[in-house]
Short mmCIF file of all heavy atoms in Angstrom, two decimals:
data_model
loop_
_atom_site.label_atom_id
_atom_site.label_comp_id
_atom_site.label_asym_id
_atom_site.label_seq_id
_atom_site.Cartn_x
_atom_site.Cartn_y
_atom_site.Cartn_z
N LEU A 978 -17.21 -7.48 3.56
CA LEU A 978 -15.88 -7.83 2.95
C LEU A 978 -15.71 -9.38 2.93
O LEU A 978 -15.14 -9.84 1.93
CB LEU A 978 -14.74 -7.28 3.98
CG LEU A 978 -13.31 -7.66 3.48
CD1 LEU A 978 -12.99 -7.06 2.10
CD2 LEU A 978 -12.32 -7.19 4.49
N PHE A 979 -16.21 -10.05 3.84
CA PHE A 979 -16.00 -11.50 3.91
C PHE A 979 -17.14 -12.23 3.24
O PHE A 979 -18.25 -12.07 3.70
CB PHE A 979 -15.80 -12.01 5.36
CG PHE A 979 -14.64 -11.36 6.08
CD1 PHE A 979 -14.86 -10.71 7.25
CD2 PHE A 979 -13.36 -11.35 5.41
CE1 PHE A 979 -13.72 -10.10 7.93
CE2 PHE A 979 -12.32 -10.72 6.14
CZ PHE A 979 -12.50 -10.10 7.34
N THR A 980 -16.79 -13.20 2.36
CA THR A 980 -17.84 -14.07 1.89
C THR A 980 -17.86 -15.28 2.81
O THR A 980 -16.94 -15.72 3.43
CB THR A 980 -17.46 -14.63 0.46
OG1 THR A 980 -16.14 -15.35 0.56
CG2 THR A 980 -17.19 -13.44 -0.48
N GLY A 981 -19.14 -15.74 3.05
CA GLY A 981 -19.28 -16.87 4.00
C GLY A 981 -19.35 -16.34 5.47
O GLY A 981 -19.44 -17.11 6.38
N PHE A 982 -19.42 -14.96 5.65
CA PHE A 982 -19.42 -14.43 6.97
C PHE A 982 -20.69 -14.90 7.82
O PHE A 982 -21.84 -14.98 7.19
CB PHE A 982 -19.43 -12.91 6.89
CG PHE A 982 -19.56 -12.16 8.21
CD1 PHE A 982 -18.53 -11.98 9.02
CD2 PHE A 982 -20.81 -11.79 8.65
CE1 PHE A 982 -18.58 -11.34 10.21
CE2 PHE A 982 -20.96 -11.09 9.84
CZ PHE A 982 -19.82 -10.93 10.58
N PHE A 983 -20.53 -15.24 9.11
CA PHE A 983 -21.66 -15.50 9.93
C PHE A 983 -21.35 -14.93 11.31
O PHE A 983 -20.15 -14.96 11.78
CB PHE A 983 -21.93 -16.97 9.98
CG PHE A 983 -20.82 -17.87 10.42
CD1 PHE A 983 -20.63 -18.25 11.68
CD2 PHE A 983 -19.92 -18.30 9.50
CE1 PHE A 983 -19.54 -19.13 11.99
CE2 PHE A 983 -18.81 -19.15 9.77
CZ PHE A 983 -18.63 -19.54 11.08
N ARG A 984 -22.29 -14.37 11.99
CA ARG A 984 -22.13 -13.70 13.31
C ARG A 984 -21.44 -14.54 14.30
O ARG A 984 -20.65 -14.16 15.14
CB ARG A 984 -23.44 -13.08 13.80
CG ARG A 984 -24.14 -12.09 12.99
CD ARG A 984 -23.35 -10.80 12.77
NE ARG A 984 -22.65 -10.27 13.95
CZ ARG A 984 -22.01 -9.11 13.93
NH1 ARG A 984 -21.96 -8.40 12.84
NH2 ARG A 984 -21.40 -8.70 14.95
N GLU A 985 -21.82 -15.87 14.35
CA GLU A 985 -21.24 -16.72 15.36
C GLU A 985 -19.68 -16.92 15.23
O GLU A 985 -19.05 -17.20 16.26
CB GLU A 985 -21.89 -18.16 15.28
CG GLU A 985 -23.36 -18.11 15.66
CD GLU A 985 -24.27 -17.71 14.50
OE1 GLU A 985 -23.67 -17.47 13.40
OE2 GLU A 985 -25.48 -17.56 14.65
N GLY A 986 -19.17 -16.63 14.01
CA GLY A 986 -17.71 -16.70 13.90
C GLY A 986 -17.02 -15.36 14.18
O GLY A 986 -15.89 -15.30 14.38
N TRP A 987 -17.87 -14.26 14.33
CA TRP A 987 -17.33 -13.01 14.58
C TRP A 987 -17.51 -12.45 16.05
O TRP A 987 -16.61 -12.01 16.66
CB TRP A 987 -17.97 -11.93 13.65
CG TRP A 987 -17.64 -10.56 14.01
CD1 TRP A 987 -18.29 -9.66 14.83
CD2 TRP A 987 -16.52 -9.77 13.51
NE1 TRP A 987 -17.63 -8.48 14.92
CE2 TRP A 987 -16.56 -8.49 14.08
CE3 TRP A 987 -15.44 -10.08 12.57
CZ2 TRP A 987 -15.58 -7.49 13.83
CZ3 TRP A 987 -14.53 -9.14 12.42
CH2 TRP A 987 -14.65 -7.81 12.92
N ASP A 988 -18.79 -12.68 16.57
CA ASP A 988 -19.11 -12.07 17.84
C ASP A 988 -18.19 -12.38 18.98
O ASP A 988 -17.87 -11.56 19.85
CB ASP A 988 -20.60 -12.41 18.18
CG ASP A 988 -21.54 -11.74 17.26
OD1 ASP A 988 -21.13 -10.67 16.61
OD2 ASP A 988 -22.74 -12.10 17.28
N PRO A 989 -17.75 -13.73 19.10
CA PRO A 989 -16.90 -13.98 20.30
C PRO A 989 -15.55 -13.34 20.28
O PRO A 989 -14.91 -13.27 21.30
CB PRO A 989 -16.69 -15.50 20.22
CG PRO A 989 -17.82 -16.05 19.33
CD PRO A 989 -18.11 -14.91 18.31
N HIS A 990 -15.16 -12.76 19.15
CA HIS A 990 -13.83 -12.15 19.05
C HIS A 990 -13.93 -10.65 18.86
O HIS A 990 -12.87 -9.97 18.73
CB HIS A 990 -13.05 -12.82 17.87
CG HIS A 990 -13.11 -14.30 17.80
ND1 HIS A 990 -12.53 -15.06 18.84
CD2 HIS A 990 -13.70 -15.15 16.97
CE1 HIS A 990 -12.67 -16.34 18.67
NE2 HIS A 990 -13.42 -16.41 17.51
N GLU A 991 -15.13 -10.04 18.80
CA GLU A 991 -15.22 -8.62 18.51
C GLU A 991 -14.48 -7.83 19.43
O GLU A 991 -13.73 -6.82 19.08
CB GLU A 991 -16.65 -8.21 18.42
CG GLU A 991 -16.83 -6.78 18.04
CD GLU A 991 -18.25 -6.31 17.79
OE1 GLU A 991 -18.98 -6.98 16.91
OE2 GLU A 991 -18.75 -5.48 18.56
N ALA A 992 -14.54 -8.08 20.75
CA ALA A 992 -13.71 -7.31 21.71
C ALA A 992 -12.28 -7.41 21.52
O ALA A 992 -11.54 -6.42 21.70
CB ALA A 992 -14.12 -7.74 23.10
N GLU A 993 -11.82 -8.56 21.08
CA GLU A 993 -10.35 -8.78 20.83
C GLU A 993 -9.92 -7.87 19.63
O GLU A 993 -8.74 -7.43 19.61
CB GLU A 993 -10.12 -10.19 20.58
CG GLU A 993 -8.65 -10.62 20.26
CD GLU A 993 -8.41 -12.02 19.85
OE1 GLU A 993 -9.52 -12.76 19.76
OE2 GLU A 993 -7.37 -12.42 19.58
N PHE A 994 -10.84 -7.69 18.66
CA PHE A 994 -10.47 -6.97 17.49
C PHE A 994 -10.61 -5.44 17.76
O PHE A 994 -10.15 -4.67 16.85
CB PHE A 994 -11.41 -7.35 16.31
CG PHE A 994 -11.38 -8.85 15.93
CD1 PHE A 994 -12.48 -9.39 15.40
CD2 PHE A 994 -10.24 -9.51 16.14
CE1 PHE A 994 -12.49 -10.71 14.99
CE2 PHE A 994 -10.14 -10.81 15.73
CZ PHE A 994 -11.28 -11.46 15.15
N THR A 995 -11.15 -4.98 18.84
CA THR A 995 -11.41 -3.59 19.08
C THR A 995 -10.36 -3.00 19.98
O THR A 995 -10.05 -3.71 21.02
CB THR A 995 -12.78 -3.40 19.79
OG1 THR A 995 -13.80 -4.03 18.86
CG2 THR A 995 -13.09 -1.94 19.96
N PRO A 996 -9.72 -1.89 19.74
CA PRO A 996 -9.95 -0.98 18.58
C PRO A 996 -9.10 -1.16 17.45
O PRO A 996 -9.17 -0.52 16.36
CB PRO A 996 -9.77 0.34 19.21
CG PRO A 996 -8.62 0.19 20.13
CD PRO A 996 -8.80 -1.22 20.70
N GLY A 997 -7.99 -2.04 17.54
CA GLY A 997 -6.99 -2.01 16.50
C GLY A 997 -7.38 -2.57 15.13
O GLY A 997 -6.81 -2.19 14.16
N PHE A 998 -8.48 -3.35 15.17
CA PHE A 998 -8.87 -3.98 13.93
C PHE A 998 -10.36 -3.76 13.58
O PHE A 998 -10.83 -4.21 12.52
CB PHE A 998 -8.63 -5.53 14.03
CG PHE A 998 -7.24 -5.88 14.20
CD1 PHE A 998 -6.75 -6.01 15.53
CD2 PHE A 998 -6.31 -6.13 13.20
CE1 PHE A 998 -5.35 -6.34 15.74
CE2 PHE A 998 -5.02 -6.43 13.39
CZ PHE A 998 -4.56 -6.57 14.71
N TYR A 999 -11.05 -3.05 14.42
CA TYR A 999 -12.51 -2.94 14.24
C TYR A 999 -12.99 -1.65 14.99
O TYR A 999 -12.56 -1.51 16.09
CB TYR A 999 -13.24 -4.15 14.71
CG TYR A 999 -14.71 -4.13 14.63
CD1 TYR A 999 -15.40 -4.07 13.35
CD2 TYR A 999 -15.53 -4.02 15.76
CE1 TYR A 999 -16.76 -4.00 13.19
CE2 TYR A 999 -16.94 -3.98 15.62
CZ TYR A 999 -17.56 -4.05 14.36
OH TYR A 999 -18.88 -3.96 14.19
N ASN A 1000 -13.83 -0.82 14.37
CA ASN A 1000 -14.42 0.32 14.92
C ASN A 1000 -15.91 0.05 15.14
O ASN A 1000 -16.72 0.05 14.24
CB ASN A 1000 -14.27 1.53 14.04
CG ASN A 1000 -14.83 2.77 14.63
OD1 ASN A 1000 -15.71 2.72 15.43
ND2 ASN A 1000 -14.28 3.94 14.25
N PRO A 1001 -16.27 -0.36 16.43
CA PRO A 1001 -17.63 -0.71 16.65
C PRO A 1001 -18.63 0.46 16.51
O PRO A 1001 -19.83 0.21 16.26
CB PRO A 1001 -17.67 -1.24 18.14
CG PRO A 1001 -16.49 -0.55 18.73
CD PRO A 1001 -15.46 -0.38 17.68
N ASP A 1002 -18.21 1.66 16.61
CA ASP A 1002 -19.06 2.88 16.50
C ASP A 1002 -19.54 2.91 15.07
O ASP A 1002 -20.70 3.24 14.74
CB ASP A 1002 -18.42 4.10 16.89
CG ASP A 1002 -18.05 4.15 18.43
OD1 ASP A 1002 -18.82 3.55 19.17
OD2 ASP A 1002 -17.09 4.83 18.73
N GLU A 1003 -18.72 2.59 14.03
CA GLU A 1003 -19.06 2.64 12.65
C GLU A 1003 -19.46 1.24 12.18
O GLU A 1003 -20.07 1.14 11.08
CB GLU A 1003 -17.92 3.11 11.86
CG GLU A 1003 -17.45 4.54 12.06
CD GLU A 1003 -16.32 4.97 11.12
OE1 GLU A 1003 -16.29 4.52 10.00
OE2 GLU A 1003 -15.51 5.77 11.56
N GLY A 1004 -19.20 0.19 12.94
CA GLY A 1004 -19.44 -1.18 12.48
C GLY A 1004 -18.61 -1.58 11.37
O GLY A 1004 -18.95 -2.42 10.50
N LYS A 1005 -17.39 -1.04 11.23
CA LYS A 1005 -16.48 -1.27 10.10
C LYS A 1005 -15.16 -1.71 10.57
O LYS A 1005 -14.67 -1.41 11.66
CB LYS A 1005 -16.29 0.02 9.29
CG LYS A 1005 -17.57 0.47 8.54
CD LYS A 1005 -17.31 1.68 7.72
CE LYS A 1005 -18.49 2.11 6.92
NZ LYS A 1005 -18.25 3.33 6.09
#
Side-chain angles (χ1 to χ4, degrees):
L978 178 63
F979 300 129
T980 62
F982 175 83
F983 55 95
R984 294 300 316 185
E985 294 81 2
W987 172 270
D988 288 347
H990 311 296
E991 184 174 297
E993 180 184 2
F994 300 152
T995 305
F998 301 88
Y999 179 68
N1000 183 331
D1002 295 333
E1003 297 183 32
K1005 292 183 177 181

